Amino acid sequence: MWSKEDHSNIHWYNAIGQENGDYLVNGNIANHQYRYGKYFIDVYATTNTGIQKYLGGTTVQINVPKAQIEVSGNSDESQFKILAQDVGIDGGIKNVQVAIWSKLNGQDDLIWYTASNIADGVWSANAVIEKHKTVGLYYADVYAISNAGDTVYLGGTTFNVNGIDMESVQISSINKNEGRRGINVSAG
């Protein structure tokens, strides 16, 4: 079984005969550098005389477990907490990074936040909206850095940052002689 095109993480397994005549193999992702993705499996049989024969092959997809991601803002929406739960990948996690950016102007305001491990399988990061300088739709993508150094996408979500609602702007107290005007702003 292997997952790399160059076969560099190939590992040979011996099948165990079952009572019903089938053979069973339990592969271990640890034998393949904890890589996720498409795996190739070729099956060979060896006769009692030592002759090896190819019996067939197949593929299997091993997917990264997706995290549950929630976002909550404080009362003035100056900070948003990104909480990633059920975070776990085979081989362990070195750290978790959260990419945050607003929809406006693409990823020109993308910032990577380092999450803190606050419980088993739970990571949290705080996005400071002042650093992004935009209202509207935001994206949050969560990535784990494995102990092997691989970056693994765990999932993403969106959230909104609301602007100030202006009910009205009125110019009053016009004094042409002094060049001053009074401005009343009413926010809702």
Side-chain angles (χ1 to χ4, degrees), residues 22-64:
D22 290 344
Y23 285 81
L24 177 67
V25 171
N26 288 311
N28 186 341
I29 196 169
N31 294 327
H32 307 278
Q33 295 89 40
Y34 297 103
R35 292 181 57 93
Y36 292 96
K38 186 176 184 178
Y39 274 77
F40 301 88
I41 303 167
D42 281 349
V43 179
Y44 292 84
T46 305
T47 66
N48 290 336
T49 60
I51 298 171
Q52 196 174 59
K53 179 178 179 177
Y54 174 73
L55 300 178
T58 190
T59 61
V60 64
Q61 184 72 27
I62 299 178
N63 295 317
V64 176

Side-chain angles (χ1 to χ4, degrees), residues 41 59 70 82 86 118 136 154:
I41 303 167
T59 61
E70 299 173 11
I82 295 82
D86 301 326
I118 61 173
L154 298 176

Side-chain angles (χ1 to χ4, degrees), residues 56-99:
T58 190
T59 61
V60 64
Q61 184 72 27
I62 299 178
N63 295 317
V64 176
K66 295 297 180 202
Q68 300 298 316
I69 303 166
E70 299 173 11
V71 179
S72 59
N74 62 0
S75 61
D76 66 359
E77 295 188 336
S78 62
Q79 291 190 28
F80 282 78
K81 179 180 181 179
I82 295 82
L83 188 67
Q85 300 178 75
D86 301 326
V87 174
I89 57 173
D90 292 315
I93 296 173
K94 190 181 299 182
N95 65 45
V96 171
Q97 298 286 313
V98 182

